[in-house]
Amino acid sequence: MGMRKSPQVTNRAEEWRALRAGLLNCVGPEMSAGADRDRADLWMYLIGEEANHALARGDLDDAELAYEHVLDYLVSLNEPAVEPNIAGVNHQLGRIAEERQQFDLAEQWCKKALEIYERLGHPPLMVNSLAQLGVLRSKQGRLPESVL
């Protein structure tokens, strides 16, 4: 038996957003590689949720800015363990470029994600990026290039 969201929870989206924004103000808008890891994880979660919410409401500029902050932080860590996260952010930046009809840029972001997933040898993580690449090429009339 599936669980249904109660009307009380679904109608409180703005309260949750305000709570996230308040926490983000406490944690700070930026994060450095030397920051406490628990604080940085909370920051990434909050920024990621803000980015997802911005993307869902079509605010591509806010979503892009948030994802770029996360990407800058992850890259600054220079740790192989965060590579799947970097690939995920690249994928999201590709979605934003796709929404803007910037298909060449979207494909670049998608390929960056795929390169990481291939290097990690993790085919399940590649599926979304491969699908995105297929959609991009289809929108450009280049679908035959996507067939292996």
Side-chain angles (χ1 to χ4, degrees):
M1 184 162 129
M3 293 180 57
R4 294 183 341 180
K5 289 185 179 180
S6 83
Q8 295 167 331
V9 173
T10 56
N11 293 333
R12 300 182 80 177
E14 286 307 310
E15 288 178 55
W16 287 114
R17 186 168 189 268
L19 178 61
R20 282 194 315 264
L23 283 170
L24 193 54
N25 283 336
C26 292
V27 173
E30 302 287 331
M31 198 58 51
S32 67
D36 174 75
R37 202 54 172 262
D38 289 336
R39 181 180 176 149
D41 287 345
L42 175 60
W43 174 82
M44 278 195 304
Y45 170 77
L46 294 169
I47 289 282
E49 286 298 304
E50 285 297 310
N52 292 338
H53 187 258
L55 188 57
R57 69 178 187 272
D59 189 345
L60 302 179
D61 292 339
D62 280 356
E64 180 179 48
L65 185 62
Y67 287 128
E68 286 174 347
H69 284 309
V70 172
L71 184 60
D72 290 344
Y73 168 72
L74 290 170
V75 169
S76 77
L77 294 176
N78 196 27
E79 294 178 10
V82 299
E83 285 189 345
N85 302 81
I86 291 172
V89 174
N90 288 337
H91 178 88
Q92 292 300 92
L93 288 167
R95 288 186 54 215
I96 291 169
E98 178 183 354
E99 287 294 318
R100 290 181 172 146
Q101 307 291 305
Q102 298 170 331
F103 298 124
D104 291 337
L105 179 60
E107 187 171 328
Q108 289 172 23
W109 282 116
C110 185
K111 285 181 177 181
K112 285 181 181 186
L114 281 170
E115 287 171 9
I116 294 170
Y117 291 145
E118 287 174 356
R119 188 172 61 251
L120 295 175
H122 203 303
L125 292 175
M126 294 172 54
V127 172
N128 286 340
S129 293
L130 283 169
Q132 182 183 10
L133 185 59
V135 168
L136 290 169
R137 289 187 176 164
S138 176
K139 288 179 178 181
Q140 294 172 298
R142 298 172 44 212
L143 191 57
E145 292 178 40
S146 297
V147 180
L148 301 174

PDB file of all heavy atoms in Angstrom, residues 116-134:
ATOM      1  N   ILE A 116      33.172  11.107 -16.599  1.00  0.00           N
ATOM      2  CA  ILE A 116      33.418  10.732 -15.204  1.00  0.00           C
ATOM      3  C   ILE A 116      32.811   9.370 -14.910  1.00  0.00           C
ATOM      4  O   ILE A 116      33.465   8.488 -14.340  1.00  0.00           O
ATOM      5  CB  ILE A 116      32.871  11.799 -14.240  1.00  0.00           C
ATOM      6  CG1 ILE A 116      33.664  13.102 -14.396  1.00  0.00           C
ATOM      7  CG2 ILE A 116      32.929  11.306 -12.791  1.00  0.00           C
ATOM      8  CD1 ILE A 116      33.064  14.296 -13.676  1.00  0.00           C
ATOM      9  N   TYR A 117      31.559   9.166 -15.309  1.00  0.00           N
ATOM     10  CA  TYR A 117      30.904   7.885 -15.056  1.00  0.00           C
ATOM     11  C   TYR A 117      31.645   6.737 -15.741  1.00  0.00           C
ATOM     12  O   TYR A 117      31.787   5.651 -15.173  1.00  0.00           O
ATOM     13  CB  TYR A 117      29.450   7.916 -15.518  1.00  0.00           C
ATOM     14  CG  TYR A 117      28.550   8.814 -14.700  1.00  0.00           C
ATOM     15  CD1 TYR A 117      27.521   9.520 -15.308  1.00  0.00           C
ATOM     16  CD2 TYR A 117      28.711   8.952 -13.327  1.00  0.00           C
ATOM     17  CE1 TYR A 117      26.676  10.336 -14.569  1.00  0.00           C
ATOM     18  CE2 TYR A 117      27.878   9.777 -12.580  1.00  0.00           C
ATOM     19  CZ  TYR A 117      26.866  10.462 -13.207  1.00  0.00           C
ATOM     20  OH  TYR A 117      26.031  11.265 -12.478  1.00  0.00           O
ATOM     21  N   GLU A 118      32.130   6.963 -16.954  1.00  0.00           N
ATOM     22  CA  GLU A 118      32.884   5.923 -17.663  1.00  0.00           C
ATOM     23  C   GLU A 118      34.190   5.619 -16.948  1.00  0.00           C
ATOM     24  O   GLU A 118      34.570   4.463 -16.794  1.00  0.00           O
ATOM     25  CB  GLU A 118      33.142   6.345 -19.108  1.00  0.00           C
ATOM     26  CG  GLU A 118      31.904   6.279 -19.979  1.00  0.00           C
ATOM     27  CD  GLU A 118      32.121   6.838 -21.384  1.00  0.00           C
ATOM     28  OE1 GLU A 118      33.221   7.347 -21.680  1.00  0.00           O
ATOM     29  OE2 GLU A 118      31.180   6.768 -22.178  1.00  0.00           O
ATOM     30  N   ARG A 119      34.880   6.665 -16.511  1.00  0.00           N
ATOM     31  CA  ARG A 119      36.142   6.478 -15.801  1.00  0.00           C
ATOM     32  C   ARG A 119      35.924   5.702 -14.506  1.00  0.00           C
ATOM     33  O   ARG A 119      36.746   4.888 -14.108  1.00  0.00           O
ATOM     34  CB  ARG A 119      36.797   7.830 -15.521  1.00  0.00           C
ATOM     35  CG  ARG A 119      38.196   7.730 -14.954  1.00  0.00           C
ATOM     36  CD  ARG A 119      38.931   9.051 -14.840  1.00  0.00           C
ATOM     37  NE  ARG A 119      38.269  10.001 -13.958  1.00  0.00           N
ATOM     38  CZ  ARG A 119      37.631  11.113 -14.357  1.00  0.00           C
ATOM     39  NH1 ARG A 119      37.570  11.415 -15.647  1.00  0.00           N
ATOM     40  NH2 ARG A 119      37.072  11.927 -13.495  1.00  0.00           N
ATOM     41  N   LEU A 120      34.786   5.938 -13.853  1.00  0.00           N
ATOM     42  CA  LEU A 120      34.476   5.236 -12.611  1.00  0.00           C
ATOM     43  C   LEU A 120      34.009   3.804 -12.863  1.00  0.00           C
ATOM     44  O   LEU A 120      33.943   3.000 -11.930  1.00  0.00           O
ATOM     45  CB  LEU A 120      33.394   5.987 -11.831  1.00  0.00           C
ATOM     46  CG  LEU A 120      33.779   7.364 -11.322  1.00  0.00           C
ATOM     47  CD1 LEU A 120      32.576   8.044 -10.674  1.00  0.00           C
ATOM     48  CD2 LEU A 120      34.943   7.287 -10.346  1.00  0.00           C
ATOM     49  N   GLY A 121      33.675   3.504 -14.126  1.00  0.00           N
ATOM     50  CA  GLY A 121      33.193   2.165 -14.455  1.00  0.00           C
ATOM     51  C   GLY A 121      31.864   1.860 -13.786  1.00  0.00           C
ATOM     52  O   GLY A 121      31.692   0.776 -13.235  1.00  0.00           O
ATOM     53  N   HIS A 122      30.955   2.803 -13.849  1.00  0.00           N
ATOM     54  CA  HIS A 122      29.669   2.648 -13.170  1.00  0.00           C
ATOM     55  C   HIS A 122      28.521   2.876 -14.162  1.00  0.00           C
ATOM     56  O   HIS A 122      27.924   3.959 -14.188  1.00  0.00           O
ATOM     57  CB  HIS A 122      29.579   3.630 -12.011  1.00  0.00           C
ATOM     58  CG  HIS A 122      28.607   3.218 -10.964  1.00  0.00           C
ATOM     59  ND1 HIS A 122      27.278   2.976 -11.231  1.00  0.00           N
ATOM     60  CD2 HIS A 122      28.772   2.988  -9.646  1.00  0.00           C
ATOM     61  CE1 HIS A 122      26.661   2.640 -10.115  1.00  0.00           C
ATOM     62  NE2 HIS A 122      27.550   2.636  -9.145  1.00  0.00           N
ATOM     63  N   PRO A 123      28.203   1.847 -14.972  1.00  0.00           N
ATOM     64  CA  PRO A 123      27.148   2.009 -15.984  1.00  0.00           C
ATOM     65  C   PRO A 123      25.803   2.499 -15.456  1.00  0.00           C
ATOM     66  O   PRO A 123      25.157   3.307 -16.132  1.00  0.00           O
ATOM     67  CB  PRO A 123      27.028   0.609 -16.601  1.00  0.00           C
ATOM     68  CG  PRO A 123      28.361  -0.011 -16.375  1.00  0.00           C
ATOM     69  CD  PRO A 123      28.830   0.535 -15.041  1.00  0.00           C
ATOM     70  N   PRO A 124      25.328   2.064 -14.276  1.00  0.00           N
ATOM     71  CA  PRO A 124      24.009   2.573 -13.839  1.00  0.00           C
ATOM     72  C   PRO A 124      23.965   4.096 -13.711  1.00  0.00           C
ATOM     73  O   PRO A 124      22.939   4.704 -13.986  1.00  0.00           O
ATOM     74  CB  PRO A 124      23.797   1.904 -12.470  1.00  0.00           C
ATOM     75  CG  PRO A 124      24.593   0.647 -12.550  1.00  0.00           C
ATOM     76  CD  PRO A 124      25.812   1.021 -13.364  1.00  0.00           C
ATOM     77  N   LEU A 125      25.065   4.715 -13.317  1.00  0.00           N
ATOM     78  CA  LEU A 125      25.089   6.167 -13.193  1.00  0.00           C
ATOM     79  C   LEU A 125      25.103   6.854 -14.558  1.00  0.00           C
ATOM     80  O   LEU A 125      24.776   8.032 -14.664  1.00  0.00           O
ATOM     81  CB  LEU A 125      26.292   6.623 -12.374  1.00  0.00           C
ATOM     82  CG  LEU A 125      26.280   6.246 -10.892  1.00  0.00           C
ATOM     83  CD1 LEU A 125      27.587   6.660 -10.225  1.00  0.00           C
ATOM     84  CD2 LEU A 125      25.099   6.860 -10.176  1.00  0.00           C
ATOM     85  N   MET A 126      25.480   6.126 -15.587  1.00  0.00           N
ATOM     86  CA  MET A 126      25.564   6.698 -16.932  1.00  0.00           C
ATOM     87  C   MET A 126      24.199   6.826 -17.607  1.00  0.00           C
ATOM     88  O   MET A 126      24.040   7.628 -18.528  1.00  0.00           O
ATOM     89  CB  MET A 126      26.468   5.827 -17.820  1.00  0.00           C
ATOM     90  CG  MET A 126      27.913   5.806 -17.380  1.00  0.00           C
ATOM     91  SD  MET A 126      28.913   4.594 -18.279  1.00  0.00           S
ATOM     92  CE  MET A 126      28.617   5.020 -19.968  1.00  0.00           C
ATOM     93  N   VAL A 127      23.223   6.082 -17.149  1.00  0.00           N
ATOM     94  CA  VAL A 127      21.945   5.978 -17.857  1.00  0.00           C
ATOM     95  C   VAL A 127      21.284   7.342 -18.069  1.00  0.00           C
ATOM     96  O   VAL A 127      20.869   7.666 -19.183  1.00  0.00           O
ATOM     97  CB  VAL A 127      21.000   5.003 -17.127  1.00  0.00           C
ATOM     98  CG1 VAL A 127      19.609   5.032 -17.725  1.00  0.00           C
ATOM     99  CG2 VAL A 127      21.568   3.598 -17.182  1.00  0.00           C
ATOM    100  N   ASN A 128      21.160   8.144 -17.022  1.00  0.00           N
ATOM    101  CA  ASN A 128      20.492   9.439 -17.171  1.00  0.00           C
ATOM    102  C   ASN A 128      21.232  10.342 -18.142  1.00  0.00           C
ATOM    103  O   ASN A 128      20.607  11.037 -18.953  1.00  0.00           O
ATOM    104  CB  ASN A 128      20.344  10.138 -15.819  1.00  0.00           C
ATOM    105  CG  ASN A 128      19.267   9.516 -14.967  1.00  0.00           C
ATOM    106  OD1 ASN A 128      18.387   8.817 -15.459  1.00  0.00           O
ATOM    107  ND2 ASN A 128      19.337   9.760 -13.681  1.00  0.00           N
ATOM    108  N   SER A 129      22.553  10.359 -18.058  1.00  0.00           N
ATOM    109  CA  SER A 129      23.320  11.221 -18.954  1.00  0.00           C
ATOM    110  C   SER A 129      23.265  10.722 -20.390  1.00  0.00           C
ATOM    111  O   SER A 129      23.211  11.518 -21.326  1.00  0.00           O
ATOM    112  CB  SER A 129      24.767  11.348 -18.476  1.00  0.00           C
ATOM    113  OG  SER A 129      24.811  12.056 -17.249  1.00  0.00           O
ATOM    114  N   LEU A 130      23.269   9.415 -20.581  1.00  0.00           N
ATOM    115  CA  LEU A 130      23.120   8.868 -21.933  1.00  0.00           C
ATOM    116  C   LEU A 130      21.746   9.211 -22.503  1.00  0.00           C
ATOM    117  O   LEU A 130      21.626   9.586 -23.670  1.00  0.00           O
ATOM    118  CB  LEU A 130      23.318   7.352 -21.926  1.00  0.00           C
ATOM    119  CG  LEU A 130      24.761   6.868 -21.822  1.00  0.00           C
ATOM    120  CD1 LEU A 130      24.797   5.368 -21.558  1.00  0.00           C
ATOM    121  CD2 LEU A 130      25.530   7.224 -23.075  1.00  0.00           C
ATOM    122  N   ALA A 131      20.730   9.103 -21.668  1.00  0.00           N
ATOM    123  CA  ALA A 131      19.379   9.460 -22.122  1.00  0.00           C
ATOM    124  C   ALA A 131      19.310  10.942 -22.470  1.00  0.00           C
ATOM    125  O   ALA A 131      18.717  11.317 -23.487  1.00  0.00           O
ATOM    126  CB  ALA A 131      18.357   9.113 -21.041  1.00  0.00           C
ATOM    127  N   GLN A 132      19.926  11.781 -21.640  1.00  0.00           N
ATOM    128  CA  GLN A 132      19.925  13.221 -21.914  1.00  0.00           C
ATOM    129  C   GLN A 132      20.641  13.504 -23.233  1.00  0.00           C
ATOM    130  O   GLN A 132      20.165  14.311 -24.030  1.00  0.00           O
ATOM    131  CB  GLN A 132      20.592  13.997 -20.784  1.00  0.00           C
ATOM    132  CG  GLN A 132      20.572  15.504 -21.017  1.00  0.00           C
ATOM    133  CD  GLN A 132      21.299  16.282 -19.930  1.00  0.00           C
ATOM    134  OE1 GLN A 132      21.978  15.721 -19.093  1.00  0.00           O
ATOM    135  NE2 GLN A 132      21.162  17.589 -19.982  1.00  0.00           N
ATOM    136  N   LEU A 133      21.753  12.839 -23.464  1.00  0.00           N
ATOM    137  CA  LEU A 133      22.483  13.031 -24.714  1.00  0.00           C
ATOM    138  C   LEU A 133      21.622  12.631 -25.906  1.00  0.00           C
ATOM    139  O   LEU A 133      21.587  13.335 -26.919  1.00  0.00           O
ATOM    140  CB  LEU A 133      23.791  12.231 -24.692  1.00  0.00           C
ATOM    141  CG  LEU A 133      24.728  12.416 -25.861  1.00  0.00           C
ATOM    142  CD1 LEU A 133      25.151  13.870 -26.013  1.00  0.00           C
ATOM    143  CD2 LEU A 133      25.953  11.517 -25.696  1.00  0.00           C
ATOM    144  N   GLY A 134      20.891  11.532 -25.778  1.00  0.00           N
ATOM    145  CA  GLY A 134      19.986  11.111 -26.854  1.00  0.00           C
ATOM    146  C   GLY A 134      18.900  12.142 -27.119  1.00  0.00           C
ATOM    147  O   GLY A 134      18.593  12.454 -28.269  1.00  0.00           O
TER     148      GLY A 134
END
